[in-house]
């Protein structure tokens, strides 16, 4: 992993040696889960990570004990529920894959409202109404809200990378909690949309017979269905993919998550590819923090690009630096098809963001 050009590798080495003493403590919240475990393993093998703090409401000490035997530099420690303060103390990067994954038939937005709550309504005998408020606590929205409160208290200056779905709403929730606590810095909050870029690269290179490592596709918008907008016209390698093949490719990139949810048949959603994508994003983020120049990743951040249309958060190419977001790149030239995709994305994205803001403000 972490494949890069020779020039980038030289820069990374230089950045690494100039920051060889830089302590880079990374905390993973939800480290015992399907994403948390492989991502933590990959982070343990990243030479830029010096300390790994693995937290989950269940199982993190065991995962940490296992991973800590890998003979790489980073130290690794696991924490249980009562220890979230120790887990977060001194963390410079916090990655959050905590929460419930999808099952077939669900959208990511369904994860905002509790899956358990839905079940309880269907089975009132096993889940009597008086327990509904407790079940409501199990939504991804409230999980992210509560983890945001803990981060605001214990590591308000950390870079925060949100994986928990629906990303289009959980990032605004996190931001609102930080605003309430008076510690919000928009440059330090990222929705992780890297898996969309990873998939676009894999699917396109599969069609064109190219090496995925040289097949970079910019994907903008949000992280669900039609809010995912691949900009294939900006990639030389995509030239020649047109007509039905183009439509199929766009659909596959937009609904790649559903492909995995279907294939896993009720046992979860993408975990291993997401672990890879999450560790890749964190590696880029730390390279930027360590002073490497021109580190660019698409990520869902507070963005001025479509603010005038009421869309406060948007994923586009972002240059990462010492303080997080260094520069937000515009989407660039769009084809007529891409303009249509963007037109379809913005209203949905606006609704998803408003839902997150509303939830955080009212809870
Ligand atoms: N941004 C993206 O591209 C992607 C996002 N996801 C999302 O990531 C989330 C996690 O997915 P999986 O790892 O497959 O689920 P999982 O169920 O395997 O793991 C989730 C983990 O979170 C833990 N957890 C629950 N509440 C917690 C809390 N309050 N504090 C700390 N840990 C807590 C659970 O104990 C569990 O270990 C889901 O919401 C899923 O939709 C999944 C794939 C891609
Ligand atoms: O599809 C899901 O629910 C998980 C996800 O976000 C993805 O795989 O892109």
């Amino acid at each position: 992993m972490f494949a890069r050009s020779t020039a980038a590798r030289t820069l990374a080495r230089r950045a690494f040696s100039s920051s060889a003493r830089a302590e880079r403590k990374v905390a993973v919240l939800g480290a015992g889960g399907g994403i948390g475990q492989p991502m933590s393993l990959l982070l343990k093998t990243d030479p830029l990570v010096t300390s790994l703090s693995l937290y989950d409401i269940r199982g993190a000490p065991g995962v940490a004990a296992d991973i800590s035997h890998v003979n790489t530099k980073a130290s690794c420690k696991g924490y249980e529920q009562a220890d979230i303060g120790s887990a977060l103390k001194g963390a410079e990067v916090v990655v959050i894959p905590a929460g419930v994954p999808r099952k077939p038939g669900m959208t990511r937005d369904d994860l905002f409202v509790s899956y358990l709550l839905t079940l309880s309504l269907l089975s009132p005998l096993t889940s009597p109404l008086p327990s509904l408020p407790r079940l409501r606590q199990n939504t991804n929205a409230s999980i992210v809200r509560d983890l945001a409160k803990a981060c605001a208290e214990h590591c308000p200056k950390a870079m925060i990378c949100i994986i928990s779905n629906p990303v289009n709403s959980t990032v605004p929730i996190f931001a609102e909690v930080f605003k309430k606590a008076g510690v919000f810095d928009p440059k330090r909050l990222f929705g992780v949309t890297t898996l969309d870029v990873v998939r676009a690269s894999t699917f396109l290179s599969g069609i064109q017979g190219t090496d995925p490592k040289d097949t970079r596709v910019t994907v903008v918008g949000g992280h669900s269905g039609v809010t995912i907008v691949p900009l294939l016209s900006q990639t030389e390698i995509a030239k020649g993919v047109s007509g039905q093949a183009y439509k199929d490719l766009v659909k596959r990139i937009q609904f790649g998550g559903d492909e995995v949810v279907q294939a896993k048949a009720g046992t979860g959603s993408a975990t291993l590819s997401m672990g890879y994508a999450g560790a890749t994003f964190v590696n880029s983020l730390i390279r930027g923090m360590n002073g490497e120049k021109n580190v660019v990743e698409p990520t869902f951040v507070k963005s001025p690009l479509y603010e005038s249309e009421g869309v406060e958060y948007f994923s586009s190419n972002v240059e990462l630096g010492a303080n997080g977001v260094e520069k937000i790149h515009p989407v660039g030239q769009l084809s007529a098809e891409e303009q249509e995709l963007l037109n379809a994305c913005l209203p949905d994205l606006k609704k998803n963001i408003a839902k997150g803001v509303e939830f955080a403000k009212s809870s």
Side-chain angles (χ1 to χ4, degrees):
M1 71 178 294
F2 312 132
R4 295 193 295 276
S5 67
T6 311
R9 273 197 301 274
T10 310
L11 274 171
R13 263 198 304 275
R14 219 175 284 153
F16 178 51
S17 61
S18 70
S19 61
R21 277 161 297 143
E23 288 300 314
R24 295 299 180 205
K25 175 173 172 176
V26 178
V28 179
L29 310 184
I35 296 167
Q37 292 199 33
M39 186 174 69
S40 300
L41 174 62
L42 291 171
L43 290 170
K44 177 75 169 81
T45 67
D46 185 339
L48 302 187
V49 175
T50 56
S51 164
L52 254 186
S53 176
L54 305 187
Y55 171 81
D56 200 298
I57 50 170
R58 66 183 79 88
V63 173
D66 190 353
I67 289 180
S68 71
H69 290 191
V70 172
N71 63 340
T72 54
K73 190 179 63 170
S75 62
C76 180
K77 191 160 182 228
Y79 299 88
E80 288 178 302
Q81 197 157 12
D83 282 339
I84 192 158
S86 314
L88 292 174
K89 189 161 185 279
E92 286 157 296
V93 178
V94 179
V95 200
I96 308 186
V100 182
R102 279 200 286 168
K103 290 186 185 293
M106 294 172 78
T107 65
R108 291 181 183 80
D109 189 51
D110 291 335
L111 298 170
F112 191 103
V113 179
S114 174
Y115 178 61
L116 291 175
L117 177 62
T118 312
L119 278 185
S120 75
L121 289 171
L122 292 175
S123 321
L125 291 179
T126 53
S127 299
L129 278 173
S131 67
L132 283 178
R134 190 173 53 77
L135 288 170
R136 199 181 273 281
Q137 294 302 313
N138 277 319
T139 63
N140 285 0
S142 56
I143 288 172
V144 169
R145 176 201 60 202
D146 294 347
L147 292 175
K149 285 181 185 166
C151 292
E153 185 181 346
H154 299 290
C155 57
K157 294 225 169 301
M159 307 285 177
I160 309 287
C161 312
I162 309 248
I163 293 173
S164 315
N165 271 318
V167 167
N168 295 356
S169 307
T170 50
V171 169
I173 289 172
F174 200 100
E176 290 303 318
V177 172
F178 262 44
K179 283 182 200 168
K180 261 191 208 167
V183 294
F184 181 51
D185 178 352
K187 290 182 188 309
R188 290 171 180 261
L189 178 61
F190 308 89
V192 181
T193 55
T194 317
L195 184 53
D196 301 320
V197 178
V198 166
R199 285 187 178 130
S201 158
T202 305
F203 300 161
L204 176 60
S205 62
I207 293 172
Q208 299 295 65
T210 51
D211 185 338
K213 120 171 131 38
D214 306 321
T215 311
R216 206 179 154 94
V217 181
T218 295
V219 183
V220 301
H223 178 68
S224 73
V226 299
T227 71
I228 298 171
V229 178
L231 302 182
L232 293 157
S233 73
Q234 298 179 3
T235 306
E236 193 60 35
I237 292 170
K239 296 266 177 312
V241 182
S242 59
Q244 195 56 43
Y246 170 80
K247 286 192 180 136
D248 290 348
L249 176 58
V250 168
K251 184 137 197 238
R252 194 168 180 215
I253 296 166
Q254 290 185 320
F255 294 91
D258 296 62
E259 203 176 290
V260 182
V261 170
Q262 295 297 336
K264 291 198 173 179
T267 61
S269 56
T271 53
L272 304 173
S273 50
M274 183 60 233
Y276 169 83
T280 301
F281 181 74
V282 170
N283 176 264
S284 294
L285 182 58
I286 298 181
R287 285 194 284 126
M289 289 164 72
N290 284 359
E292 184 177 330
K293 296 291 171 212
N294 303 317
V295 182
V296 175
E297 291 283 351
T299 169
F300 187 70
V301 294
K302 185 160 165 46
S303 169
L305 294 185
Y306 295 96
E307 214 168 10
S308 61
E309 296 176 47
V311 176
E312 210 188 332
Y313 298 84
F314 191 83
S315 182
S316 67
N317 276 329
V318 170
E319 193 176 323
L320 302 164
N323 298 306
V325 174
E326 197 72 37
K327 183 177 173 199
I328 295 174
H329 291 256
V331 296
Q333 181 95 32
L334 302 184
S335 67
E337 288 104 326
E338 287 160 359
Q339 188 57 57
E340 267 181 42
L341 293 174
L342 189 63
N343 293 344
C345 153
L346 292 176
D348 269 26
L349 197 45
K350 189 174 165 180
K351 271 189 236 149
N352 294 160
I353 293 166
K355 188 171 174 177
V357 171
E358 177 64 24
F359 170 84
K361 282 192 170 156
S362 65
S363 65

